[in-house]
Amino acid sequence: MRTLIINGTVVTAEGSARADVLVEGETIALVGPDLPGSGVSAEATIDAAGRWVVPGGIDVHTHMELPLGGTVASDTFETGTRAAAFGGTTTIIDFAAQQRGGSLRAGLEASLAQAEGRAVVDYGLHVMVADVNDAALAEMDALVAEGVPSFKLFTAYPATVMSDDGAIYRAMRRTAANGGLILMHAENGPAIDAVVAENIALGRTDPVWHGRSRLAIFEGEATNRVVRLAEAAGVPVYIVHLSSRDALDEVRAARRRGTPVWAETCPQYLFLSLDDLDRPEFEGAKFVCSPPLRPRDHQADLWAGLAAGDLQLVATDHCPFDFRGQKELGRGDFRRIPNGLPGVEDRVDLVHFGGVVGGRFGPERWVDLVATTPAKLFGLYPRKGTIAPGSDADLLVFDPARRRTISAASHHMNVDYSCYEGLEIQGTADIVMSRGTVLVRDGTWVGPAGHGRFLRRAPATYARGDRS
Ligand SMILES: [Zn+2]
């Protein structure tokens, strides 16, 4: 099957040009001006006049069907990847969880079993390491070799998954030898727990106290600490869901002294704030995630960080829970509200809207933030994240002018609310293609079930080298 996409403007992280794209089977065969005029033909033609042809989005931080706080995230690999595709994301990297006392491989195999045959876009997996011991370290070597080269550790959640500094250092040292990459959730968990206890003792149980307890200074402190541990270990480090100016300052300072530190932020930290956590009638629970939403004045710093390169990509930390029946578990005690927000469907459009329409950066930087750098850092480039001969035909025909209003009534995520309810944005994908197969056309699902494949990823060489 050959498909020609004609008359569009091809936008990659490197530049934009009027060009046609020939898709042959699952990959891109040719990119160039006026391919029909050069005698190229195909069985199907997509006219992208007036629109952009961009690489499919890559969301490197999702939690489909994650068990958390006595409940389970409401999107399965099936519903969550379908929603991702509607929003122009054609690859996700989710997290497999090691149980304390269990092996990394058992966690990986459990997640693979959930995703296989159900996911509709391609997926990779990171492994969350809850218990850094000799066996787990040895398993890391094998997993890197098998295409799972990234491991997430936590300085938060002392009761469940936190690693102490020695454990973090040991895991980092192991990646120096095996080519893996350590991802860090950087908040000072024990200090947060102390502030939480103070606030609960004062009867402060509403959702906003979740945010007011998890201070930005604790994120800054933990970010500096893990960056320093990485410097001592002689390895790069990747900070997940960076939310605050405090943490950004530490990342920027580390990069200026030459440390290969990388950081993602998420749409919720760019568009939402502590004010949302303070909405009345327990509605703030919809916005409980960790790190928490920050005071509104942090947003401009994060946008500037994305534009300047101090932050290198945007992921979602998609981890949805219904307001009814799930978020409500925390009525009267914010500690019992499951942490997490829906977002996988809106990331590509929101970063375009806030970044490109908002005049903060151009379309090439947008593509870089939502597709290209994610592919490079996580061992998928140039198979994913660009438009070039030989790359997977993961493509969006994106209309930068079309307007839509975000709403739970029309979104495809399996969750009963939207964080962005009523927000009118500009720019969205008309056609979403994964490996040459059109999944979504003009807002309608036209793809096959179970289309997604597990992605074996390369070791983290990009993270060690060029930081530009
Ligand atoms: Zn997460």
Side-chain angles (χ1 to χ4, degrees):
M1 173 75 177
R2 288 154 65 96
T3 303
L4 253 176
I5 305 173
I6 58 170
N7 299 327
T9 298
V10 171
V11 181
T12 68
E14 285 76 43
S16 302
R18 274 291 305 278
D20 301 337
V21 179
L22 176 67
V23 174
E24 205 164 43
E26 298 197 339
T27 57
I28 294 164
L30 274 176
V31 183
D34 192 18
L35 293 182
S38 331
V40 175
S41 63
E43 290 89 69
T45 300
I46 293 169
D47 188 347
R51 294 174 288 176
W52 299 344
V53 182
V54 303
I58 300 175
D59 188 343
V60 302
H61 191 156
T62 65
H63 299 283
M64 306 305 174
E65 45 198 292
L66 176 76
L68 194 70
T71 187
V72 179
S74 59
D75 260 323
T76 63
F77 277 91
E78 182 176 1
T79 63
T81 56
R82 188 166 167 277
F86 270 102
T89 288
T90 53
T91 300
I92 64 163
I93 308 181
D94 207 272
F95 289 84
Q98 177 205 20
Q99 305 304 316
R100 275 197 173 156
S103 69
L104 305 191
R105 188 170 298 280
L108 178 64
E109 285 176 355
S111 286
L112 284 171
Q114 287 178 321
E116 272 167 11
R118 297 188 179 89
V120 297
V121 304
D122 290 350
Y123 54 96
L125 289 165
H126 314 285
V127 174
M128 295 194 277
V129 182
D131 191 359
V132 178
N133 53 43
D134 291 344
L137 291 168
E139 282 192 284
M140 284 171 58
D141 298 351
L143 293 178
V144 172
E146 291 171 31
V148 182
S150 41
F151 306 91
K152 183 184 182 188
L153 279 71
F154 300 77
T155 60
Y157 309 119
T160 53
V161 293
M162 188 181 83
S163 292
D164 67 22
D165 295 348
I168 293 167
Y169 175 82
R170 289 182 76 204
M172 286 175 166
R173 283 298 295 163
R174 196 75 178 203
T175 64
N178 68 23
L181 180 65
I182 298 296
L183 285 50
M184 290 302 314
H185 177 135
E187 290 184 288
N188 187 322
I192 287 167
D193 284 357
V195 178
V196 167
E198 286 178 359
N199 285 324
I200 291 289
L202 293 169
R204 296 164 167 171
T205 58
D206 289 340
V208 71
W209 290 100
H210 168 83
R212 289 185 184 150
S213 298
R214 305 184 79 93
L215 305 179
I217 196 168
F218 293 151
E219 189 187 14
E221 183 278 327
T223 300
N224 174 60
R225 179 155 38 101
V226 300
V227 164
R228 292 302 196 174
L229 289 169
E231 289 174 341
V235 296
V237 64
Y238 180 92
I239 310 296
V240 295
H241 50 44
L242 185 146
S243 70
S244 67
R245 178 190 312 115
D246 304 63
L248 175 60
D249 286 347
E250 299 297 341
V251 167
R252 188 188 297 110
R255 290 175 66 85
R256 288 198 177 144
R257 59 181 184 263
T259 304
V261 49
W262 307 88
E264 70 185 25
T265 188
C266 310
Q268 55 268 35
Y269 305 120
L270 298 165
F271 285 87
L272 305 171
S273 76
L274 191 63
D275 296 343
D276 293 298
L277 269 173
D278 205 13
R279 291 193 196 186
E281 307 295 334
F282 195 64
E283 204 196 340
K286 294 177 179 176
F287 302 91
V288 166
C289 59
S290 293
L293 303 179
R294 302 301 185 185
R296 185 161 292 278
D297 58 293
H298 288 247
Q299 292 174 0
D301 294 77
L302 298 180
W303 281 113
L306 290 172
D310 299 317
L311 299 172
Q312 296 80 41
L313 64 97
V314 180
T316 60
D317 198 10
H318 176 77
C319 192
F321 298 97
D322 281 334
F323 181 68
R324 300 281 168 220
Q326 292 193 296
K327 290 290 190 180
E328 285 184 330
L329 294 170
R331 273 194 196 275
D333 185 348
F334 69 80
R335 295 172 299 178
R336 300 192 182 282
I337 301 169
N339 281 213
L341 309 180
V344 75
E345 187 167 352
D346 298 314
R347 178 190 66 120
V348 168
D349 289 357
L350 283 171
V351 179
H352 171 266
F353 177 61
V356 181
V357 179
R360 295 178 169 103
F361 45 73
E364 296 83 5
R365 180 64 180 157
W366 163 62
V367 168
D368 201 1
L369 291 167
V370 300
T372 310
T373 294
K376 288 178 175 175
L377 274 173
F378 291 100
L380 293 171
Y381 190 86
R383 178 173 169 192
K384 308 281 193 190
T386 192
I387 298 177
S391 294
D392 281 356
D394 295 358
L395 299 167
L396 313 181
V397 176
F398 189 90
D399 184 344
R402 186 151 72 89
R403 303 185 73 87
R404 72 176 180 100
T405 299
I406 298 178
S407 173
S410 54
H411 75 198
H412 302 86
M413 299 177 284
N414 183 39
V415 61
D416 64 1
Y417 73 96
S418 170
C419 292
Y420 310 100
E421 186 66 40
L423 179 66
E424 189 188 29
I425 61 172
Q426 179 188 322
T428 194
D430 292 338
I431 292 175
V432 179
M433 176 185 283
S434 163
R435 283 184 280 103
T437 298
V438 175
L439 300 182
V440 177
R441 186 186 294 269
D442 299 325
T444 300
W445 180 262
V446 296
H451 170 79
R453 280 194 205 138
F454 177 61
L455 295 166
R456 294 181 192 284
R457 297 178 290 115
T461 49
Y462 180 82
R464 288 166 159 71
D466 172 35
R467 294 191 295 109
S468 62

